[in-house]
Amino acid sequence: MSLINFEVIDNLAIIKLNRADKLNSFIREMALEFQDRLKQCAEDANIRAVLITGEGRAFCAGQDLAEAISEDGPELTKIVEEHYNPIIELIRKIEKPVVCAVNGVAAGAGANIALACDIVFASKASSFIQAFSAIGLIPDSGGTFTLPRLIGWQKATALMMLGDKVGAEDAEKMGMIYKAIEPDDLMEEATKVATRLSKMATYGLGLTKRALNASFTNDLKSQLALEGELQTLAGTSYDYKEGVNAFLEKRKPNYKGN
Ligand code: T3D
């Protein structure tokens, strides 16, 4: 049995964490398999959007704590450096939209993997927990970078120190996620949006993501310069010409992704 289910439907890759009996918590093998699938999504030109979700009742309960303390298991430094850091970097570096459908509880690294995605939908029955403080750890998987940028310094600090559970509807209100959805509609809605993204002008969306990533550290002048540079690149694409022609000809564009 694979710990990551993977399928490609037309131009959309669907990645499902598949360790449902342990709430999709990560062991090393699963983290490495997840990385391989993310690399495949980055490299395969046919894949133009990615949807990440979990099998069963949870999205992901973070690190498998039994593995974390096992004498035969990977050391804590390795867990962070070899498992979670590459996952977060891959999600941020894939120049294609990455949508997350949080189908149940997202705790620890599981929460921060979801929050690293470009557009996050969550079932109204799901919740987000910065579970690290309850076991004496610090938030990893980019949480200290991502969460304050999403919801502000105060709220992020409180959630990380207190480890309080945040329901999806509150997460939407505070800007942590894009939308909370009725549980029965989650997969249909997230798949519909991810499919729509997979038919859009992929090169332009990828450059948008590159600009947004850079905005975390750039000042305004550098960001304006980068926008100019990336707009020039976008303007050389097939899809730009197709988009403009379709507009002028009053028809739907037929984008190729380049
Ligand atoms: O070395 C390092 O650790 C560094 C890396 C850190 C990254 C991290 O992610 S640290 C944070 C790790 N995660 C947690 O601390 C969360 C632990 N889990 C929970 O707090 C709860 O399970 C949940 C709030 C997520 C869900 O609660 P509930 O009541 O819905 O489910 P449950 O009954 O607690 O769990 C169901 C099963 O999943 C249960 O197994 P069993 O008894 O049926 O055989 C439980 O032990 C297992 N499970 C849940 N989370 C984990 C887990 N097993 C291993 N590791 C887990 N993280």
Side-chain angles (χ1 to χ4, degrees), residues 217-238:
T217 47
N218 271 349
D219 60 20
L220 178 62
K221 197 174 169 57
S222 322
Q223 192 66 15
L224 288 171
L226 180 65
E227 285 177 3
E229 194 185 306
L230 299 184
Q231 195 69 292
T232 306
L233 288 178
T236 62
S237 66
Y238 170 90

Side-chain angles (χ1 to χ4, degrees), residues 15-219:
I15 299 177
K16 289 187 181 170
L17 310 179
N18 185 32
R19 216 174 153 247
D21 58 329
K22 296 293 174 194
L23 305 190
N24 298 321
S25 58
F26 275 97
I27 52 175
R28 180 175 174 82
E29 188 189 342
M30 179 173 158
L32 298 182
E33 211 180 308
F34 190 28
Q35 289 172 25
D36 285 344
R37 290 309 193 177
L38 289 169
K39 282 180 204 155
Q40 185 179 343
C41 292
E43 285 159 15
D44 183 342
N46 179 55
I47 296 173
R48 291 167 55 192
V50 183
L51 175 61
I52 300 173
T53 190
E55 299 281 8
R57 73 176 174 92
F59 173 68
C60 173
Q63 171 61 32
D64 182 300
L65 294 174
E67 181 189 70
I69 57 154
S70 159
E71 293 208 343
D72 313 326
E75 297 152 23
L76 200 137
T77 317
K78 271 195 170 179
I79 291 178
V80 175
E81 288 177 3
E82 295 181 11
H83 301 184
Y84 299 115
N85 291 358
I87 288 171
I88 300 302
E89 287 193 75
L90 280 162
I91 290 172
R92 292 309 320 148
K93 280 187 185 158
I94 293 176
E95 293 203 333
K96 302 169 186 180
V98 179
V99 176
C100 188
V102 178
N103 52 302
V105 66
N112 292 335
I113 288 170
L115 299 181
C117 296
D118 297 310
I119 300 178
V120 184
F121 293 97
S123 153
K124 285 185 182 174
S126 73
S127 53
F128 296 81
I129 311 171
Q130 294 292 323
F132 309 88
S133 61
I135 52 170
L137 290 180
I138 71 132
D140 59 21
S141 306
T144 56
F145 184 87
T146 312
L147 197 59
R149 285 170 167 81
L150 289 170
I151 64 171
W153 187 269
Q154 264 292 317
K155 283 198 166 78
T157 306
L159 292 181
M160 287 177 167
M161 289 192 172
L162 297 169
D164 286 345
K165 183 196 274 200
V166 180
E169 286 171 272
D170 286 337
E172 179 188 321
K173 279 187 206 130
M174 59 175 80
M176 193 191 296
I177 63 165
Y178 180 49
K179 261 184 197 167
I181 307 273
E182 291 301 334
D184 288 347
D185 300 334
L186 174 73
M187 283 318 294
E188 193 185 331
E189 179 65 16
T191 307
K192 196 170 78 184
V193 171
T195 304
R196 182 177 140 205
L197 287 161
S198 76
K199 307 284 176 211
M200 289 177 66
T202 314
Y203 184 57
L205 296 182
L207 295 178
T208 303
K209 187 162 170 177
R210 199 189 299 179
L212 284 168
N213 281 340
S215 77
F216 285 129
T217 47
N218 271 349
D219 60 20

Side-chain angles (χ1 to χ4, degrees), residues 203 234-243 254-258:
Y203 184 57
T236 62
S237 66
Y238 170 90
D239 283 345
Y240 168 62
K241 288 186 196 73
E242 169 62 9
N254 183 15
Y255 291 123
K256 289 185 179 171
N258 53 33

